Amino acid sequence: MADKNVIKLAETMDARVSQLAEQHHIIELGGGQARLDKQHEKGKETARERIDNLLDPHSFEEVGAFRKHRTTLFGMDKAVVPADGVVTGSGTIFGRPVHVASQDFSVMGGSAGETQSTKVVETMEQSLLTGTPFLFFYDSGGARIQEGIDSLSGYGKMFFANVKLSGVVPQIAIIAGPCAGGASYSPALTDFIIMTKQAHMFITGPQVIKSVTGEQVSADELGGAVAHMTTSGNIHFVAEDDDAAILIAKKLLSFLPQNNTEDAEFVNPNNDVSPCEELREIVPLDGKKGYDIRDVIAKIVDWGDYLEVKAGYATNIVTAFARINGRTVGIVANQPKVMSGCLDINASDKAAEFIGFCDAFNIPLVQLVDVPGFLPGVQQEYGGIIRHGAKMLYAYSEATVPKITVVLRKAYGGSYLAMCNKDLGADAAYAWPSAEIAVMGAEGAANVIFRKEIKASEDPAATRAEKIEEYSNAFNTPYVAAARGQVDDVIDPADTRRKIAAALEMYATKRQPRPAKKHGNMPC
Ligand code: HXC
């Protein structure tokens, strides 16, 4: 029987061209029509459909379609493995060049052996060489078992390349099928993970967990997109399906520069910075009342349009990309409607990661501050709130991009510093007349410093109320901070967009050299 891997060349050029077209057709069919149909039955697109839908029409230039593995064991010498189970190459998205890889589950379950990993790593190297973003669709049973440690080595090389690209070109992982075991460390090393509801990701699956710990859990509960968004915080975006994931990827990319030497594209500037009086109404003066900070964000950014990152995780802080007067910004905002906007372990991790990304890719940071403090509690202390909270201090202090901070209401103690005050390098800091910038809230402060007086008083409740007011008048205003230069100006909330836009313009040319070092050592 003829070996399907051996191509007997035809006699004429025309015939060879036909033969070439036939070879392409075979490769494009991946694991065959039946397996491609199965992919559709599972609500998933095929590897090539994903690339076609992601890239501008006809822009895809495939590289390595004819690459083959070189394994001979377990029948692999006879196996036909088109493109070795991964489609790689380059193309454009809204005219901007990118590099892509897409695992083909129809070919040996998208499993990654030596050649597949080499193809992926070579594509990543091309991203580096050309300064273009790298996007990778993961849909794979993991290391190709027939190839043994060559598969492991391939993953090792992928991880190494992920880290090499980190901070140089944006890396976006789209988990669109299984991504199990050590394989999940590759997306974990990228900048953003978009996960579809058809996908699963875990280090050890439900079967292994059941046999080791006895716990029973479904694949969805353990490693579905919702679990990763709301519980583990491993991913950045949940998508209904492949099409939705692709839309998210495109929108995300639109906010990002091509690489760390460029600025994000200046897009469709909206020069309207006229006062927005509605901003005076959104934030209640009563600090006990919550509100949705996203209503404030929508009034400040161009067209009210922003892309929230990790929208379902640590919802007490909001991280989002948006534009202000055409410039991309990263917004970090406390969310008073969740846990009064306190910072906790998860919020600190979420914010620090986002700040680090923005700084690496020249995206100015805008802070909207309404924070009563770090969340008190034994679990928070045992969980390491000290080192987690320190990440925010570290990330802001390290960031050299323009940093613009606006205090809307509460800004107490360490959490005020952690939201990037002037001492942590805010270039412009503003406060609304509702701002309370203080070491702590008036109630807590009065309880500490007037404790004896309150206790000795004939009417402790009245004395306490009096002392709270006294402290509040003395410190819980924006004017003490303004007098110390901790804020540059106290502003009408209606002018917030104009003030931020002006500061972005002013600091667009900011250059801030730091002492030479190999790299810093962020708390983990
Ligand atoms: C080789 C694989 C494979 C793998 C799947 N296939 N995973 N071939 N190596 N890792 C093949 C199957 O044999 C099958 O081939 C085809 O892909 C489709 O798989 P199915 O099982 O039929 O699909 P499905 O029922 O959808 O299940 C998908 C799956 C399951 C959950 C991913 O295939 C699975 O559990 N695979 C093994 C996962 C695993 O243990 N991987 C290795 C982990 S070790 P045919 O010819 O029948 O169509 C690892 C270490 C990495 O990844 C460490 C890096 C540091």
Side-chain angles (χ1 to χ4, degrees):
M1 203 169 85
D3 186 339
K4 288 183 186 161
N5 282 312
V6 177
I7 302 166
K8 185 173 179 309
L9 290 176
E11 297 295 321
T12 66
M13 179 56 100
D14 281 352
R16 286 191 184 189
V17 170
S18 305
Q19 205 173 31
L20 174 64
E22 197 186 321
Q23 286 301 316
H24 272 299
H25 180 67
I26 291 169
I27 290 168
E28 280 162 21
L29 266 181
Q33 196 57 51
R35 286 194 177 91
L36 296 181
D37 292 344
K38 209 166 164 193
Q39 186 83 347
H40 289 149
E41 283 159 23
K42 289 180 182 165
K44 303 196 290 180
E45 289 169 5
T46 67
R48 287 175 187 277
E49 285 166 349
R50 286 169 178 151
I51 289 185
D52 283 348
N53 294 338
L54 175 72
L55 300 180
D56 295 338
H58 314 298
S59 71
F60 181 49
E61 295 293 339
E62 185 168 357
V63 174
F66 290 100
R67 293 284 281 272
K68 282 197 190 328
H69 67 86
R70 45 183 187 169
T71 322
T72 52
L73 294 173
F74 307 111
M76 286 295 286
D77 50 343
K78 297 281 181 303
V80 178
V81 191
D84 210 53
V86 69
V87 186
T88 50
S90 62
T92 60
I93 296 177
F94 298 131
R96 288 169 51 181
V98 296
H99 280 83
V100 289
S102 181
Q103 288 179 318
D104 187 345
F105 190 80
S106 77
V107 177
M108 296 190 73
S111 57
E114 179 198 33
T115 300
Q116 175 172 136
S117 299
T118 303
K119 283 182 70 178
V120 173
V121 169
E122 285 175 1
T123 311
M124 295 167 85
E125 292 288 349
Q126 292 304 308
S127 277
L128 264 189
L129 201 63
T130 53
T132 50
F134 176 65
L135 297 99
F136 190 172
F137 291 96
Y138 294 78
D139 190 356
S140 163
R144 186 172 297 157
I145 297 164
Q146 292 87 334
E147 295 197 36
I149 58 162
D150 286 342
S151 307
L152 275 187
S153 165
Y155 270 110
K157 290 184 170 72
M158 251 192 254
F159 301 161
F160 192 83
N162 282 127
V163 176
K164 203 163 151 191
L165 266 63
S166 179
V168 186
V169 292
Q171 298 180 77
I172 299 175
I174 302 172
I175 315 286
C179 183
S184 44
Y185 286 118
S186 176
L189 290 166
T190 68
D191 297 305
F192 296 103
I193 301 180
I194 304 167
M195 189 167 176
T196 70
K197 289 193 175 169
Q198 292 72 42
H200 294 105
M201 178 167 67
F202 28 69
I203 295 294
T204 48
Q207 300 301 335
V208 177
I209 289 183
K210 191 173 171 210
S211 66
V212 176
T213 69
E215 294 163 293
Q216 291 214 24
V217 65
S218 72
D220 262 342
E221 285 165 341
L222 181 68
V226 172
H228 279 304
M229 173 55 79
T230 58
T231 309
S232 73
N234 281 330
I235 67 167
H236 301 79
F237 302 95
V238 174
E240 274 305 313
D241 54 20
D242 290 326
D243 276 345
I246 285 166
L247 284 180
I248 294 168
K250 286 180 169 182
K251 178 150 189 174
L252 174 61
L253 266 182
S254 80
F255 287 109
L256 312 183
Q258 288 290 89
N259 57 61
N260 66 335
T261 66
E262 295 182 12
D263 288 333
E265 210 177 344
F266 194 66
V267 172
N268 202 9
N270 167 9
N271 293 318
D272 180 9
V273 289
S274 54
C276 171
E277 294 185 5
E278 285 152 285
L279 278 171
R280 296 180 190 146
E281 310 295 328
I282 297 171
V283 179
L285 283 179
D286 179 354
K288 290 200 173 68
K289 290 196 177 144
Y291 62 93
D292 193 338
I293 192 66
R294 290 172 297 194
D295 294 339
V296 177
I297 295 172
K299 293 282 172 224
I300 290 173
V301 301
D302 291 0
W303 321 111
D305 181 39
Y306 58 92
L307 178 66
E308 224 184 305
V309 178
K310 290 198 173 178
Y313 184 72
T315 51
N316 42 327
I317 200 156
V318 172
T319 48
F321 291 112
R323 290 186 190 85
I324 297 182
N325 234 347
R327 288 181 205 283
T328 293
V329 291
I331 293 178
V332 180
N334 308 114
Q335 174 56 290
K337 84 172 197 167
V338 181
M339 292 159 49
S340 304
C342 268
L343 294 178
D344 64 352
I345 289 170
N346 294 346
S348 303
D349 284 359
K350 172 175 161 179
E353 180 193 48
F354 183 75
I355 296 159
F357 176 84
C358 289
D359 186 48
F361 289 98
N362 312 318
I363 296 173
L365 286 157
V366 173
Q367 288 63 241
L368 300 176
V369 184
D370 189 348
V371 63
F374 281 100
L375 183 69
V378 175
Q379 288 316 316
Q380 287 290 306
E381 295 294 337
Y382 284 178
I385 183 67
I386 294 173
R387 67 192 156 85
H388 289 279
K391 291 182 201 181
M392 283 186 78
L393 300 168
Y394 192 101
Y396 272 128
S397 302
E398 188 180 50
T400 56
V401 287
K403 296 179 281 192
I404 297 151
T405 299
V406 184
V407 181
L408 313 188
R409 201 169 57 168
K410 293 172 213 161
Y412 296 157
S415 63
Y416 157 57
L417 305 184
M419 286 299 294
C420 194
N421 80 331
K422 280 243 155 184
D423 302 307
L424 269 78
D427 299 293
Y430 302 114
W432 287 6
S434 44
E436 301 172 13
I437 304 172
V439 69
M440 65 199 297
E443 290 189 22
N447 284 341
V448 175
I449 58 177
F450 302 117
R451 185 166 45 97
K452 287 186 188 143
E453 238 172 302
I454 292 170
K455 205 174 165 194
S457 145
E458 282 181 8
D459 184 349
T463 309
R464 191 167 171 275
E466 197 181 292
K467 292 297 175 192
I468 288 171
E469 198 183 340
E470 193 183 319
Y471 189 88
S472 185
N473 288 339
F475 283 115
N476 288 10
T477 83
Y479 297 105
V480 178
R484 294 280 196 279
Q486 282 283 327
V487 293
D488 296 310
D489 204 358
V490 182
I491 62 169
D492 179 347
D495 285 336
T496 306
R497 177 175 156 79
R498 182 178 65 78
K499 293 294 274 187
I500 296 174
L504 286 171
E505 184 84 28
M506 168 58 71
Y507 289 99
T509 52
K510 179 182 173 188
R511 295 289 176 266
Q512 191 169 44
R514 291 286 168 86
K517 57 175 133 176
K518 193 171 171 191
H519 58 76
N521 187 16
M522 193 198 258
C524 296

